[in-house]
Amino acid sequence: MITNNEYIEKISLARPEDIAKAVFCFSYLPTHFNHVDLIKCLSLEERKYFNTLSFEKRINSYLLGRYVAKRAVAALISEDNLSLIVIQQGIFSQPVAANGKNIQVSISHCNNLGTAVAFPETHPMGIDLEEINESRRSILETQITKFEKELANFIPTTYDLWLTLLWTAKEALSKVLRTGLTTPFEIYEIQKYELYDNYIVCYFKNFSQYKSLSFNVHNNICSLVYPKNTEINFNILSFREFLLNDCCLLR
């Protein structure tokens, strides 16, 4: 377990007709971390795939991704044994929680950071995490529209943060729609945004039924996408306190 570098929060998904539950999980994997405990979390099927991996970067990302996904699902269905939770790969490479309880999960990892959100199949969600990196500016600029570039003149953030936010919001939406990178990102164009103290909410031009909630994770941006008419009670202040006080990420 990596509990000293782990944050888990149950999220209420309030809609006019009912209230559902989701779970957000974030973990930081320190350099040279002992993988033994994470390997124990894998099912027999997952271990077979894991044993085929040879590159350290892929080994780390696979273990971290499966771990945060299982921790999120486990917290949602009250299952203590992570090895009993199987995260399979769908035909579009999307994670599929084979738990038999109508629960699904979205995963993202960047360097040694991993995050996931587990949610009911009836309430689609997606998550993405990316590093704010000036060296990626030219690449990210190819994935934004003229309108989105003009918005950068009005939003009180750095240009690279805005580009990363747009990327993560679109990537998270593509996970909800299960299209991945097979669809041009201009289809996911942002129509408008709303600024709050600790996060930014964006609305999509062509997918008006969804919205994104984006926030800083150290030098990274994390975006959650979920139905527009859902109100969530995700405590971003509590998560920020964890990053500052409990997680060794900033030490």
Side-chain angles (χ1 to χ4, degrees):
M1 298 294 183
I2 47 179
T3 53
N4 60 319
N5 294 314
E6 177 182 279
Y7 180 88
I8 294 180
E9 182 180 340
K10 291 187 176 181
I11 302 172
S12 174
L13 307 171
R15 294 183 59 79
E17 64 274 18
D18 63 7
I19 296 178
K21 297 291 184 181
V23 171
F24 169 84
C25 178
F26 169 88
S27 286
Y28 165 63
L29 190 67
T31 305
H32 307 305
F33 184 80
N34 188 335
H35 293 147
V36 174
D37 285 339
L38 297 190
I39 295 174
K40 290 178 181 178
C41 298
L42 301 179
S43 67
L44 291 177
E45 180 182 340
E46 291 164 337
R47 286 197 186 200
K48 288 180 181 179
Y49 174 76
F50 173 76
N51 290 334
T52 68
L53 303 178
S54 55
F55 296 101
E56 183 177 0
K57 184 176 181 180
R58 177 55 183 152
I59 289 173
N60 289 343
S61 65
Y62 181 79
L63 285 175
L64 185 55
R66 286 302 182 272
Y67 179 77
V68 291
K70 288 167 177 272
R71 288 289 283 165
V73 172
L76 192 56
I77 66 175
S78 300
E79 173 58 65
D80 295 328
N81 189 343
L82 298 188
S83 66
L84 295 180
I85 298 172
V86 180
I87 309 297
Q88 298 176 335
Q89 182 171 288
I91 61 172
F92 296 113
S93 299
Q94 79 275 17
V96 178
N99 52 73
K101 296 189 177 182
N102 298 321
I103 299 298
Q104 288 306 325
V105 65
S106 181
I107 309 170
S108 188
H109 42 73
C110 181
N111 299 320
N112 54 354
L113 308 180
T115 188
V117 59
F119 52 90
E121 283 187 327
T122 55
H123 191 284
M125 301 180 74
I127 196 167
D128 194 56
L129 176 72
E130 296 289 343
E131 182 182 16
I132 303 169
N133 191 333
E134 184 179 342
S135 66
R136 299 188 65 217
R137 180 183 297 179
S138 59
I139 296 175
L140 297 184
E141 280 185 322
T142 65
Q143 302 301 319
I144 67 171
T145 65
K146 179 181 178 181
F147 176 72
E148 290 169 333
K149 191 168 185 178
E150 291 173 351
L151 286 178
N153 297 320
F154 304 97
I155 192 166
T157 67
T158 67
Y159 183 52
D160 293 303
L161 187 152
W162 176 240
L163 289 175
T164 309
L165 185 151
L166 291 174
W167 173 275
T168 57
K170 294 176 181 183
E171 177 71 8
L173 176 61
S174 75
K175 292 177 180 180
V176 173
L177 302 175
R178 297 189 176 182
T179 58
L181 297 177
T182 61
T183 302
F185 262 26
E186 55 262 30
I187 293 178
Y188 306 133
E189 184 178 29
I190 298 299
Q191 183 179 46
K192 64 175 183 177
Y193 64 86
E194 295 173 350
L195 293 175
Y196 295 88
D197 289 339
N198 297 293
Y199 59 93
I200 297 174
V201 173
C202 291
Y203 297 87
F204 301 96
K205 177 181 179 181
N206 298 311
F207 297 92
S208 58
Q209 68 270 47
Y210 292 105
K211 62 184 175 184
S212 68
L213 184 152
S214 303
F215 50 93
N216 287 79
V217 181
H218 190 29
N219 191 44
N220 302 264
I221 293 292
C222 183
S223 289
L224 271 172
V225 167
Y226 53 96
K228 184 181 70 172
N229 292 331
T230 296
E231 295 299 327
I232 69 174
N233 67 341
F234 181 46
N235 192 336
I236 296 178
L237 281 178
S238 175
F239 180 52
R240 283 180 177 270
E241 289 177 2
F242 158 78
L243 291 174
L244 290 172
N245 301 318
D246 298 321
C247 181
C248 70
L249 174 62
L250 303 181
R251 298 173 191 169

